[in-house]
Amino acid sequence: MLLRMAVCARLCGGGQSRRCRRRQRHSQADQDSDSEMDMDDEEEEERVVGKTKDEPEGSSCHNSRPSGAGALGSGDSASASAGPPHPQSLLDLPPELLVEIFSSLPGTALPNLALVCKKFRQILNTETIWRRRCTEEFGMRDDLRKMEIVGMSSRDLYVKLLHPYRHILGLWQPDIGPYGGLLNVVVDGLFIIGWMYLPPHDPRVEDPMRRRPLFRIHMWEKNKATIECMYGHKGPHKGDIQTVKKDEFSTKCNQTDHHRMPGGRQEEFRTWLEEEWGRTLEDIFHEHMQELILMKFIYTSQYDNCLTYRRIYLPPCLPSDLLQPGLFKGTYGSHGLEIIMLSFHDSKAKATKLTGDPNVPAGQLTLEIDLNCPVRLPDLEHQRSMEELSRLVLGVHEEAQRGLQARDAPSEAAEADPPQGAEGVEPGAAACSAAPEAQPFVLPLGVMTRNEVYPRTCKMCFYGTGLIAGHGFTSPERTPGLFVLFDDDRFGFIWLELKSFSLYSRLTDQLSHAQAPSIERFEAMLRNMQSWTS
């Protein structure tokens, strides 16, 4: 209360709020009658927010201040009446200017501003203020016109929907065991919708992402926010959202019977398989792949009624980065397409899984690239030889291992001359600075790939390691491979031990409310992601 009174004193340029208003009433005694001061809220709002045509300038209580007539001579009175007085506080400003000032403030500050005085509270009922807040903070423009049709005010939309649920906007990773996922919560029209992002059907890695709504929040009924679950095939039904703690929330379905299908689990599995893989089980001839698909269906269907989500951020971008960091779709053999996050850390590039599989789960570091170890490819004829590629990459691998041992050795070793590098290696990060020319590229014979059509030119290649593991993430180890940069939106990785090739393509969807507040917060998020599935 003391803080609020102090704020009022500061804004009014005088004493506390009651005394301020009392002083203004006394100074108005010779201009306004008591009946004018006691008018109801509706009439006073009309007088304050929009002046009538026949209202004289300065008749409002906020324009009158103690005149001090006894201290002024007749000449002073004449000079004072020559022009309007300069405003001494916010209360002296015209209402239209206050509307403009209040519209520029963040919406979170407006409730406290309404506590200052009655005039501020009345001005804050102006629709213009809340319409601007909805536009600037949540990107709503054309959607605001729809509100007029349904009779919803911008103030109600902001206060009852956008502001209370602003903390769930952005990117999230659902806790679905090793499989993970990517949820994007956005303001979509007059709704807040949680979209689950799904990779394209294997192996069409360059196709756009698919989306499926999991929940929505709206204000169509009873002028209050309503939460609905969108899972299943029977339309929206009752749901709930709970904020567990900072950067974490949970969804719950209150009518799980809407998730069931008349044909039972068999019909549900066939429908899920068509949506997830774009094919039937009979079309998948690989027995191991059939087992992986069935295992994923059984596991993920356990989470159709309750899910927990943890916030994730997009990686920060620096001018020195090899390419723009972000989200990519990549091929992972029998596991299908998965989503990874590419980020840069000094001389390292790291790819972290957002979706995973029973071997290497979501949250793990699938690729780690050493940008200090670029690899110069031989001519096309030698590129077709797996032995030649293995010789080049393993030579760099040995050099990198020796460098790690020297770094961990006593300080005398640090003063020794650095290694000169293996054949085919261009030592130093300086190779990244110059814009490289495109060079021909072809996969070695015997390397398996899900994509027969892949880029036949590349910009640069680097030594890196990929994470492989047994089922259940047993015996994980990092094995050497070759990172191939094709262009600004595509790269690949050749897994030497697996003799396979993964192609990655950038996710181009616009993702709002997803930027990391700082590099430190992003680094902490990456560490937490690994602990979620380790």
Side-chain angles (χ1 to χ4, degrees):
M1 177 62 73
L2 290 176
L3 177 60
R4 196 166 70 218
M5 295 168 67
V7 171
C8 178
R10 183 71 178 271
L11 291 172
C12 297
Q16 299 169 352
S17 58
R18 291 183 179 178
R19 296 171 59 189
C20 177
R21 286 196 293 269
R22 188 161 56 246
R23 211 171 36 248
Q24 292 169 357
R25 292 194 191 100
H26 290 321
S27 66
Q28 286 290 107
D30 57 343
Q31 301 178 21
D32 299 313
S33 66
D34 292 339
S35 60
E36 290 176 322
M37 294 299 296
D38 295 333
M39 63 175 57
D40 59 26
D41 287 348
E42 182 176 354
E43 294 172 340
E44 187 169 359
E45 180 178 355
E46 180 181 358
R47 179 169 60 83
V48 172
V49 179
K51 294 182 179 179
T52 58
K53 293 182 179 179
D54 58 344
E55 181 182 4
E57 184 69 28
S59 64
S60 299
C61 66
H62 70 278
N63 279 329
S64 62
R65 300 183 59 82
S67 61
L72 293 175
S74 60
D76 294 332
S77 300
S79 62
S81 62
H86 294 293
Q88 302 296 316
S89 73
L90 283 178
L91 288 175
D92 295 332
L93 297 177
E96 59 270 19
L97 187 54
L98 287 177
V99 169
E100 182 65 25
I101 294 174
F102 293 172
S103 297
S104 65
L105 298 176
T108 53
L110 299 183
N112 289 333
L113 191 62
L115 299 176
V116 173
C117 62
K118 187 175 182 179
K119 175 183 176 180
F120 284 8
R121 184 169 63 254
Q122 291 169 338
I123 289 180
L124 286 172
N125 287 328
T126 306
E127 187 73 358
T128 305
I129 297 175
W130 300 100
R131 188 180 299 118
R132 182 170 170 182
R133 288 297 92 222
C134 292
T135 300
E136 293 187 359
E137 295 182 25
F138 300 98
M140 300 188 67
R141 288 177 176 83
D142 297 337
D143 301 319
L144 296 177
R145 299 174 185 173
K146 302 176 184 177
M147 296 169 45
E148 301 176 359
I149 300 176
V150 299
M152 185 187 308
S153 69
S154 299
R155 185 180 187 278
D156 284 343
L157 182 71
Y158 188 96
V159 172
K160 298 178 181 180
L161 178 66
L162 301 179
H163 181 72
Y165 292 98
R166 70 193 185 283
H167 61 281
I168 69 170
L169 298 178
L171 292 181
W172 303 83
Q173 186 178 44
D175 183 6
I176 314 180
Y179 298 102
L182 178 63
L183 179 80
N184 187 25
V185 184
V186 299
V187 177
D188 193 336
L190 300 182
F191 296 87
I192 292 178
I193 301 182
W195 293 100
M196 181 69 85
Y197 275 64
L198 304 173
H201 293 140
D202 182 49
R204 301 193 292 269
V205 68
E206 297 191 41
D207 284 2
M209 295 286 289
R210 299 174 295 127
R211 299 191 308 172
R212 184 176 68 200
L214 289 191
F215 64 85
R216 71 179 186 182
I217 314 171
H218 62 82
M219 286 182 55
W220 294 122
E221 303 173 0
K222 301 178 182 179
N223 202 26
K224 68 176 183 178
T226 300
I227 302 169
E228 294 178 331
C229 176
M230 302 290 289
Y231 191 87
H233 301 271
K234 295 183 180 180
H237 47 283
K238 292 182 180 180
D240 190 23
I241 291 179
Q242 296 180 345
T243 301
V244 181
K245 56 183 179 181
K246 181 178 173 61
D247 293 335
E248 185 174 315
F249 76 96
S250 296
T251 57
K252 182 180 180 180
C253 176
N254 298 329
Q255 292 178 292
T256 54
D257 56 298
H258 281 64
H259 304 174
R260 308 281 79 89
M261 303 188 79
R265 296 290 279 175
Q266 289 187 353
E267 183 181 358
E268 293 171 13
F269 175 64
R270 287 195 299 269
T271 304
W272 175 87
L273 186 60
E274 178 66 28
E275 294 176 349
E276 188 83 7
W277 292 85
R279 63 183 78 176
T280 65
L281 196 62
E282 291 75 20
D283 297 332
I284 303 173
F285 302 105
H286 198 291
E287 184 177 348
H288 178 59
M289 192 172 183
Q290 290 181 352
E291 294 176 355
L292 291 174
I293 291 174
L294 185 58
M295 183 187 308
K296 184 175 183 179
F297 169 75
I298 295 174
Y299 193 98
T300 57
S301 60
Q302 303 175 57
Y303 293 85
D304 65 345
N305 65 331
C306 187
L307 266 177
T308 298
Y309 304 87
R310 299 181 179 93
R311 183 179 293 280
I312 58 178
Y313 298 110
L314 292 177
C317 182
L318 299 176
S320 58
D321 293 341
L322 181 65
L323 71 159
Q324 182 180 354
L327 306 185
F328 291 77
K329 306 151 285 182
T331 55
Y332 280 86
S334 300
H335 298 293
L337 299 187
E338 298 183 7
I339 307 173
I340 62 103
M341 175 187 291
L342 180 69
S343 57
F344 292 90
H345 312 261
D346 297 327
S347 62
K348 301 285 187 181
K350 298 182 179 181
T352 305
K353 280 191 171 189
L354 298 185
T355 62
D357 52 70
N359 291 69
V360 179
Q364 294 301 314
L365 185 63
T366 178
L367 301 178
E368 186 173 35
I369 313 304
D370 191 341
L371 300 179
N372 281 330
C373 296
V375 177
R376 184 172 59 250
L377 292 177
D379 55 45
L380 280 178
E381 182 179 352
H382 288 87
Q383 285 185 41
R384 299 180 192 276
S385 171
M386 188 63 188
E387 291 76 12
E388 180 68 16
L389 178 65
S390 298
R391 185 180 67 83
L392 286 176
V393 175
L394 291 178
V396 184
H397 178 70
E398 293 173 0
E399 288 290 334
Q401 296 302 311
R402 283 197 291 267
L404 290 176
Q405 294 173 3
R407 189 175 61 186
D408 297 336
S411 57
E412 292 85 353
E415 300 175 0
D417 294 335
Q420 297 301 312
E423 180 184 355
V425 180
E426 302 170 358
C432 305
S433 58
E437 295 183 359
Q439 55 182 321
F441 173 80
V442 66
L443 285 174
L445 297 176
V447 171
M448 297 179 295
T449 176
R450 307 286 293 178
N451 302 77
E452 296 297 335
V453 179
Y454 59 88
R456 295 308 172 106
T457 60
C458 67
K459 287 185 173 182
M460 302 185 75
C461 297
F462 294 88
Y463 158 78
T465 60
L467 181 62
I468 62 175
H471 187 85
F473 199 40
T474 55
S475 305
E477 63 172 318
R478 307 207 67 85
T479 62
L482 182 68
F483 174 87
V484 185
L485 177 62
F486 296 116
D487 51 44
D488 292 340
D489 296 320
R490 293 178 298 177
F491 64 87
F493 190 79
I494 300 177
W495 308 74
L496 291 187
E497 184 170 333
L498 302 178
K499 290 186 178 181
S500 66
F501 172 72
S502 291
L503 178 64
Y504 299 85
S505 177
R506 185 182 297 277
L507 192 154
T508 57
D509 299 65
Q510 296 295 323
L511 304 173
S512 57
H513 301 280
Q515 298 300 324
S518 64
I519 295 179
E520 292 74 19
R521 287 283 294 274
F522 178 77
E523 296 280 0
M525 179 209 71
L526 286 184
R527 292 191 296 269
N528 291 336
M529 286 178 65
Q530 294 188 22
S531 67
W532 297 340
T533 55
S534 295

